[in-house]
Amino acid sequence: MTAELSPEDIRRALWENDSAPNGLARNARGEELVAAAERTGDPDVLRRALLSLVQAYEYSTERGKMLVPFARLLQEWDRDPSGFSGADTHTFHWVFKWASSGMLTLPEMPLTTIEHWLTEMERRYRTAGFTERAVRQAEFELADDSGDPERAARAFAAWTAAERDRMANCHACELNDQGSYRVRQGDDEKALETWEPVLADRLRCAEEPHRTLAQSLLPLVRTGRLDEARAHHLKGYRLARGNESLLPSIGLHIEFCALTGNEGRGLEILAEHGTHLDSHGNPWARLQFIGGVLTLLRRLPALGLGDQPAVPGAVAGEPRTVAGLLALLDDEATALAARFDLRNGNDTVSARLARRLAAAPLVDTLPLGIRAPRLAPAPAVAAVAREDAAPAVTVTRLAREARELRGQGHPRAASVWDRIEALVATRTTAEPGTAEPGAAESVVPEPLLVAELLEHRALRAGRAGDPGARPLLEETAAAYRAAEEPGRAALAELQIVFAAAQSGEPPEEIRRLLATAAASADALDPGEPTRTRRIASVALSGARLGAVLRHQESGHDPATAEADQARLDADLAGFVTEFGGRDAEEPAAELADLLAGAEKQRAELAWQAGDAERAEALFSSSARRGTAAGRPWDAAEPLARRAALLMALGREEEAEEAARTAVAYGTELIDPDELGRLRLTLADILYQQYGKEAEAAEYALEAAHWLDEAGESAGAGAYARLLLAQAYAETGRAAEAAEVLESALPDLLRQGEPRAVRAREALAGILRALGDQRGAAEQYLLAAEVAKGWENQQPHARFATLAAECLSGAGLRDEAVAAYHRAVELWQGTGEPVGAARALRSVAWLEVRAGNADAAKELMARSLAAVEGDGDELLLERARGWYQTGELLLDLLDEDADENDEGDEYEEGDDAAGKADREAGGEADAVREEAIRLLEQGATALAGLGVLDERVRCVVRVAWTEQELGRREAGARRLRALVEEVAATDTDEARAMVPRLRNNLKHLES
């Protein structure tokens, strides 16, 4: 420090440092101020500086360092306790507990020393008249941490039985510690019961419920309360993030992710706190933090991810892979635990660490709803996992099952082919007919199976957009012919057509391949069971591809689009007539899916053309074909599309029923994209209906999970998260909503301006609910920036108004005033006088608070002028302008009176002063009369409009103003008449107002 600070400078600096964020910077500044306080020779300043430094250490990773300043405080107390104020005396005794528990976190601190301090604490508390509750808690912590279970149990009983007094720890913190003890005893249910007041937010403090939310995660999972565990993670991590005094809680969140299939999320949290891996600080907190990190790092090599980078940047001076960081932290944790064990004389700490690190995953996957990196197991690891998980079975049996499922069109067929492929690849199969299931030997697959596996590979390549799909399909067709399966070969030739189209082959080549496929289908023997299906498949494919090729050949000319769609619809209708007739109730079973697909596509075309009635009928017919043929999974998608159409038509109940049926029919589906989109449709429909937001959140969460599995996190998965966040927000779960939406926001911003604006508006509302007015204002302003380019400027004006409200709430007056004035301009430009009037009134009140009376009155006058005209809406806004102007005049009058009270009193007999006072009094009464006139004018208009709550506000203010004018009885008469009128009104609103009105009348008459 370059210059000596005065005691007053130090006090000011201490106040500033006490408000600084917890951490090393605050601690370092506290140390500087203690040194400066010593140099002043002022004992009061030194005590304040020492107490401030102890508090800074307590809420940081340097908690153990508080012993030095506390020892000096103890010297000051013993030297002159009278020098401590009442508040400082309380704080001195309070931090005695911190010093005692702080010693336990230092393995170099002998137990004998800690016992000595515990005895000293007990003596001083007894002398000061405190109960033994805090002392017994300190004894419990000593016994529990050092491995003396009998003493811990006795101390726990004495602690919880003792009376709570001013020296007892924060009740929320006590319950945290009590619940944690129950967990270590193996009683998760009792722990959760103990924590309930904190988890329900009835008890709070600076670090609660942050710590308890983290402690509750694994007990909730172990007891099957997965929804609560998810919620506690989202809410708790948001509270704890970035707070270095809560690193043990961060470790618990990482551990939770590691044990619930959310390793990617765990790595994301670790990356956010990666700098703390090089900050050793408090040994106990360090061990708790890295214990959670190690739980995660030990999971990753098991997924084949040991060689990937662990965190951005370097740890201990160099970049670290997962395996490298695991080895480094494993050694450190082992050494730290050993140091505590040496101090304690047992293996308590090492044993607890070992149990923690040996924990197996509790669930395969617990969807969290947030967008987080997905960690796919390395291919070799995934193959081993599939093989290990599968029961022993022969390829022959599996092939039989796969062919049966394929014949049914069952979605699960592909997964059985996956399993066959894995078994053949590892050559662990049994000779057909020669071995029991489970017996294994190397064999060469039969020709038919070779062809089928080739087809499976080719179709997988096609789904992935691999240009190698076509050669594989050509090889497949040849293999089927070699296996004497002409029907399958004909299908492969049709699949070649789509592979060629996907890879961008010219139209003439597509038509040539289509003709080849048609010839192969026609050439099938009339007795071939699949001949009709193959011919129908070619016909349907020809209709669809024909439309694509015509559009391509026209140069994608939009002028021909309508005609192209009409021709496609006619071709599809012809297909349905030729192969299925018009009776969707009894379709040919082998063609049910083809006919349903054609009708579904026709429904989409009808919807695009604006023919909703025909679209609904076709979606319904498509679904009926699937269910009638015993293939409900084929009905799921057309039902979901019908549900979306019905919702667009405002037929909410029918839409919900259709969406629920779609989800039910889709239970056999295994494609994650299909599973996700079915649930997303239902979530969207439920969210749009009042009172169904909680159920909407459930389906949106499931949708996000499945869409993540499908690789659609940035697309439909992001929209699912937007729905999830909005549903959470509307059911009072704002913290969870914020975590979900912030994780998806980058993806949503890339989905077009309307989606981006909706996301920002939703996030702004959520942040506002959390009290983050500045953050909300930022999101509203960003939404306004996008909307300013739209033809319709009403959203722009609305966002400007909302931003102004939030800026005002954040205490940014000048910015709020500017935003309100901008909103007024925008509302006026859109021809919306109501919005302009409201913004003008809002800025008027800001001017009142700033003492700008004339500006406030002028703005109120402008607000009234803006809503001149006929109609109830304009009258309502004029009524609000009248009564708020009256209130504004009265508030300005009160402020003037307060300012005059602060001035010098005039002496009795001072005629000039007396005259001025009388004149001022007369002017004030005139203002009150004007205010009454305006309030009455507003009340009359509101009565005519049937607006009760604001009318009551006007009449009550008039009554009290009458009292200020010396007309108490007149004011009371007004209130009595209003009480009688409201009491006779049979509405919930009126009944709720009567007690408040009667209370006002009672006080006015007293």
Side-chain angles (χ1 to χ4, degrees):
M1 302 173 71
T2 57
E4 292 298 326
L5 298 177
S6 69
E8 190 56 40
D9 290 336
I10 295 172
R11 288 189 179 92
R12 189 178 304 110
L14 287 169
W15 180 84
E16 293 173 353
N17 201 45
D18 288 345
S19 304
N22 300 326
L24 302 182
R26 178 184 174 189
N27 295 355
R29 180 58 172 157
E31 291 162 359
E32 290 177 356
L33 293 173
V34 167
E38 285 181 317
R39 290 193 291 271
T40 67
D42 186 327
D44 179 65
V45 172
L46 178 59
R47 285 192 294 271
R48 298 292 306 136
L50 289 169
L51 284 168
S52 177
L53 182 56
V54 168
Q55 289 173 316
Y57 284 147
E58 169 67 11
Y59 294 105
S60 76
T61 57
E62 297 184 314
R63 194 176 178 215
K65 292 174 68 173
M66 77 171 64
L67 295 177
V68 173
F70 182 72
R72 297 191 59 196
L73 270 173
L74 196 58
Q75 292 172 356
E76 290 293 313
W77 174 271
D78 289 340
R79 182 179 61 80
D80 182 15
S82 66
F84 286 69
S85 67
D88 286 349
T89 297
H90 179 272
T91 304
F92 165 73
H93 285 88
W94 186 269
V95 299
F96 216 122
K97 300 179 298 180
W98 292 353
S100 176
S101 59
M103 291 181 198
L104 278 169
T105 68
L106 303 175
E108 64 271 19
M109 188 65 64
L111 291 181
T112 53
T113 302
I114 302 174
E115 291 281 8
H116 168 76
W117 276 83
L118 180 61
T119 302
E120 188 69 11
M121 176 184 175
E122 183 169 13
R123 180 181 70 81
R124 290 176 183 270
Y125 273 37
R126 187 181 299 113
T127 300
F130 300 123
T131 71
E132 67 170 354
R133 188 176 182 95
V135 176
R136 297 286 77 82
Q137 180 177 358
E139 181 187 8
F140 160 76
E141 291 170 353
L142 170 59
D144 187 53
D145 288 358
S146 64
D148 187 343
E150 291 78 13
R151 184 185 182 187
R154 291 194 304 272
F156 184 87
W159 161 30
T160 53
E163 178 187 353
R164 282 185 54 80
D165 64 355
R166 289 188 304 123
M167 224 20 71
N169 274 343
C170 150
H171 197 188
C173 293
E174 278 197 332
L175 293 180
N176 175 294
D177 293 338
Q178 291 169 15
S180 299
Y181 179 53
R182 299 299 190 192
V183 170
R184 288 193 294 277
Q185 290 182 315
D187 194 343
D188 288 335
E189 293 286 1
K190 184 66 175 178
L192 292 166
E193 180 185 334
T194 301
W195 287 327
E196 193 275 334
V198 183
L199 298 176
D201 228 14
R202 294 198 300 274
L203 295 174
R204 296 181 64 89
C205 73
E207 293 189 341
E208 292 296 351
H210 319 33
R211 295 187 305 140
T212 301
L213 286 165
Q215 293 279 6
S216 72
L217 294 173
L218 296 184
L220 284 169
V221 177
R222 286 194 292 261
T223 55
R225 294 158 65 173
L226 302 184
D227 288 341
E228 291 175 75
R230 176 191 305 110
H232 289 194
H233 169 65
L234 296 178
K235 180 180 179 180
Y237 180 63
R238 187 175 187 84
L239 291 171
R241 180 196 287 130
N243 190 335
E244 72 170 33
S245 71
L246 293 174
L247 282 178
S249 296
I250 299 297
L252 288 170
H253 283 282
I254 293 174
E255 179 180 16
F256 162 78
C257 291
L259 299 180
T260 57
N262 290 288
E263 294 87 354
R265 168 69 166 171
L267 272 179
E268 188 175 61
I269 295 173
L270 177 58
E272 290 181 358
H273 296 82
T275 56
H276 293 291
L277 293 172
D278 272 334
S279 175
H280 292 266
N282 180 277
W284 180 87
R286 172 75 174 174
L287 184 58
Q288 304 313 305
F289 173 55
I290 64 175
V293 174
L294 282 169
T295 305
L296 171 67
L297 295 179
R298 288 189 172 202
R299 284 281 306 139
L300 299 177
L303 299 175
L305 303 170
D307 293 333
Q308 78 169 47
V311 293
V315 179
E318 62 181 81
R320 303 278 175 173
T321 63
V322 167
L325 184 60
L326 171 59
L328 182 73
L329 295 183
D330 223 342
D331 289 344
E332 182 186 349
T334 300
L336 269 176
R339 289 171 58 196
F340 280 104
D341 287 346
L342 181 63
R343 191 269 306 274
N344 296 335
N346 54 48
D347 67 348
T348 296
V349 176
S350 293
R352 287 178 181 173
L353 176 65
R355 285 194 296 272
R356 183 179 190 182
L357 299 184
L362 298 172
V363 293
D364 289 337
T365 304
L366 172 59
L368 299 178
I370 52 174
R371 172 82 144 93
R374 293 194 60 76
L375 302 181
V381 175
V384 170
R386 285 196 301 267
E387 188 178 343
D388 288 347
V393 68
T394 65
V395 167
T396 301
R397 287 178 56 191
L398 283 175
R400 188 182 307 121
E401 179 185 357
R403 289 163 187 153
E404 182 179 345
L405 291 171
R406 183 178 64 193
Q408 299 169 3
H410 199 289
R412 196 163 57 83
S415 64
V416 182
W417 288 117
D418 281 339
R419 190 172 166 197
I420 294 170
E421 186 178 47
L423 285 172
V424 171
T426 53
R427 305 184 70 81
T428 54
T429 186
E431 183 69 38
T434 64
E436 293 298 322
E441 61 181 61
S442 296
V443 297
V444 177
E446 59 182 342
L448 175 58
L449 186 57
V450 170
E452 289 168 324
L453 292 177
L454 270 171
E455 181 182 27
H456 185 60
R457 284 177 55 205
L459 294 177
R460 184 169 61 238
R463 288 192 296 271
D466 186 344
R470 179 176 175 179
L472 280 172
L473 285 166
E474 290 170 345
E475 191 179 347
T476 298
Y480 273 128
R481 293 197 187 282
E484 298 182 351
E485 286 285 341
R488 300 299 303 174
L491 178 60
E493 288 181 335
L494 180 57
Q495 291 163 342
I496 290 170
V497 179
F498 285 96
Q502 185 179 40
S503 61
E505 294 287 346
E508 57 270 20
E509 174 64 6
I510 304 301
R511 289 193 174 96
R512 184 190 70 78
L513 292 170
L514 191 60
T516 300
S520 294
D522 286 338
L524 290 172
D525 188 279
E528 164 64 41
T530 63
R531 184 175 186 275
T532 301
R533 181 174 178 83
R534 296 293 174 260
I535 293 172
S537 296
V538 171
L540 180 57
S541 300
R544 289 169 168 168
L545 287 170
V548 173
L549 296 177
R550 287 191 298 273
H551 188 55
Q552 183 179 340
E553 289 169 331
S554 73
H556 306 285
D557 184 358
T560 66
E562 186 174 348
D564 288 342
Q565 288 190 337
R567 180 171 172 182
L568 173 59
D569 182 61
D571 289 346
L572 292 171
F575 169 81
V576 172
T577 300
E578 179 181 357
F579 290 96
R582 298 184 179 277
D583 185 5
E585 299 294 342
E586 297 181 4
E590 73 272 18
L591 302 182
D593 57 325
L594 302 180
L595 295 165
E599 290 194 323
K600 176 183 168 298
Q601 190 167 4
R602 291 190 67 208
E604 297 287 359
L605 292 170
W607 193 353
Q608 292 172 26
D611 190 344
E613 184 177 352
R614 188 162 67 94
E616 186 205 343
L618 286 166
F619 279 134
S620 297
S621 177
S622 175
R624 284 196 301 272
R625 288 187 186 278
T627 54
R631 297 167 60 132
W633 50 84
D634 285 339
E637 187 180 358
L639 278 171
R641 295 297 293 153
R642 175 174 177 264
L645 173 60
L646 290 169
M647 197 66 191
L649 295 173
R651 294 157 62 179
E652 293 180 353
E653 291 185 6
E654 294 174 83
E656 181 182 337
E657 180 183 2
R660 289 187 186 280
T661 305
V663 171
Y665 282 178
T667 54
E668 296 288 340
L669 295 171
I670 62 170
D671 180 0
D673 184 70
E674 293 176 314
L675 292 168
R677 291 180 186 276
L678 291 176
R679 283 154 180 77
L680 182 56
T681 298
L682 179 54
D684 209 348
I685 289 170
L686 290 168
Y687 175 71
Q688 294 180 62
Q689 300 180 70
Y690 179 75
K692 296 184 178 180
E693 295 86 359
E695 190 178 10
E698 295 176 12
Y699 283 103
L701 176 67
E702 292 181 17
H705 166 69
W706 286 116
L707 291 165
D708 284 348
E709 291 289 325
E712 283 290 324
S713 297
Y719 181 64
R721 289 187 168 85
L722 174 57
L723 278 181
L724 176 61
Q726 291 183 291
Y728 275 164
E730 293 185 29
T731 51
R733 301 166 69 174
E736 297 162 68
E739 285 292 293
V740 169
L741 188 48
E742 285 173 348
S743 75
L745 187 62
D747 296 323
L748 292 166
L749 296 180
R750 291 189 286 269
Q751 294 185 5
E753 288 186 354
R755 182 69 51 82
V757 166
R758 175 177 169 181
R760 288 204 184 280
E761 182 180 11
L763 180 56
I766 292 164
L767 293 175
R768 203 171 182 182
L770 291 171
D772 184 1
Q773 297 282 3
R774 187 185 293 261
E778 179 184 3
Q779 293 301 322
Y780 282 132
L781 289 171
L782 289 168
E785 184 66 21
V786 175
K788 75 178 183 181
W790 295 355
E791 182 178 353
N792 179 5
Q793 284 293 286
Q794 287 187 1
H796 187 191
R798 183 165 59 84
F799 293 140
T801 304
L802 291 167
E805 292 175 3
C806 294
L807 290 167
S808 177
L812 301 172
R813 179 195 172 278
D814 292 344
E815 291 86 345
V817 168
Y820 273 126
H821 281 300
R822 177 61 177 149
V824 170
E825 294 175 8
L826 291 168
W827 285 121
Q828 290 173 336
T830 62
E832 289 287 339
V834 170
R838 290 175 179 175
L840 285 164
R841 291 199 302 269
S842 296
V843 78
W845 286 109
L846 286 176
E847 296 292 0
V848 168
R849 290 197 286 272
N852 301 326
D854 291 341
K857 294 174 186 176
E858 189 269 335
L859 287 162
M860 280 295 188
R862 285 177 59 192
S863 78
L864 282 165
V867 288
E868 288 297 332
D870 298 329
D872 287 352
E873 186 180 21
L874 293 179
L875 178 58
L876 176 60
E877 291 307 315
R878 286 202 300 279
R880 288 167 173 164
W882 288 324
Y883 82 71
Q884 286 192 37
T885 302
E887 291 179 325
L888 182 148
L889 292 173
L890 293 173
D891 286 0
L892 288 171
L893 198 62
D894 291 341
E895 288 184 10
D896 288 342
D898 291 341
E899 289 177 4
N900 290 335
D901 287 345
E902 293 173 3
D904 295 334
E905 294 183 4
Y906 70 88
E907 295 180 5
E908 190 174 352
D910 188 330
D911 291 339
K915 181 179 179 182
D917 186 58
R918 286 192 297 277
E919 290 175 352
E923 292 173 2
D925 286 349
V927 171
R928 291 189 178 96
E929 295 288 2
E930 173 64 9
I932 287 175
R933 184 187 69 79
L934 289 164
L935 287 160
E936 287 180 329
Q937 192 173 359
T940 300
L942 291 166
L945 293 168
V947 179
L948 183 59
D949 56 342
E950 292 175 89
R951 179 188 167 208
V952 166
R953 171 177 165 179
C954 292
V955 175
V956 169
R957 192 71 188 263
V958 168
W960 282 104
T961 306
E962 294 262 36
Q963 189 264 355
E964 291 173 354
L965 288 168
R967 306 198 293 258
R968 176 179 297 179
E969 181 52 37
R973 280 198 301 275
R974 289 178 185 271
L975 274 185
R976 278 195 292 271
L978 185 62
V979 169
E980 291 175 5
E981 178 187 341
V982 174
T985 304
D986 187 22
T987 67
D988 291 340
E989 181 187 29
R991 283 188 288 273
M993 286 183 179
V994 170
R996 178 163 64 89
L997 281 169
R998 285 176 174 160
N999 190 52
N1000 263 283
L1001 179 60
K1002 175 183 175 183
H1003 284 289
L1004 187 64
E1005 291 178 329
S1006 62

